Amino acid sequence: MEAASNSTTQWFTTGDAIFPAMLAAIGAAVESVNLETYIFADGQLGGRFRTVLVEAAERGVRVRVLVDGIGSMELPDYFWHPLQAAGGEVRVFNPVSLRRLGIR
């Protein structure tokens, strides 16, 4: 897949710099959002991300989220219900399980 001719690259070194840019990109998305992250928490920032993801899904953008089973272990199951109700998809990579504890 070729990059769009109007694409740009920007290097971010801190969360304080990247998170506003990520939120703006999700807010401007018209076709799809694919968010993959290791750690996701139910706090002010996590709630803001969920809100803009829900808004994107409600305007017809395909929203898919992948979080890590250990990195996001403290995230309550119900956290993603609003996004799923809006048509977004959420998956947990390598969910924590006693049968799979050694598979990391």
Side-chain angles (χ1 to χ4, degrees), residues 38-49:
Y38 180 71
I39 298 172
F40 203 103
D42 183 8
Q44 185 177 10
L45 182 60
R48 181 70 186 123
F49 266 89

Side-chain angles (χ1 to χ4, degrees), residues 22-64:
M22 291 172 68
L23 291 165
I26 295 167
V30 294
E31 189 173 315
S32 66
V33 172
N34 298 297
L35 175 64
E36 179 181 344
T37 187
Y38 180 71
I39 298 172
F40 203 103
D42 183 8
Q44 185 177 10
L45 182 60
R48 181 70 186 123
F49 266 89
R50 181 184 55 199
T51 297
V52 297
L53 290 165
V54 168
E55 290 169 351
E58 288 175 341
R59 66 175 184 272
V61 174
R62 181 177 185 193
V63 176
R64 298 185 300 177

Side-chain angles (χ1 to χ4, degrees), residues 22 33-41 49 53 63-72 75 80 83-84 88-95 104:
M22 291 172 68
V33 172
N34 298 297
L35 175 64
E36 179 181 344
T37 187
Y38 180 71
I39 298 172
F40 203 103
F49 266 89
L53 290 165
V63 176
R64 298 185 300 177
V65 175
L66 179 66
V67 297
D68 184 76
I70 288 190
S72 301
L75 195 62
W80 294 114
L83 178 58
Q84 293 165 323
E89 301 174 50
V90 179
R91 300 279 189 271
V92 176
F93 172 76
N94 208 1
R104 293 282 330 155

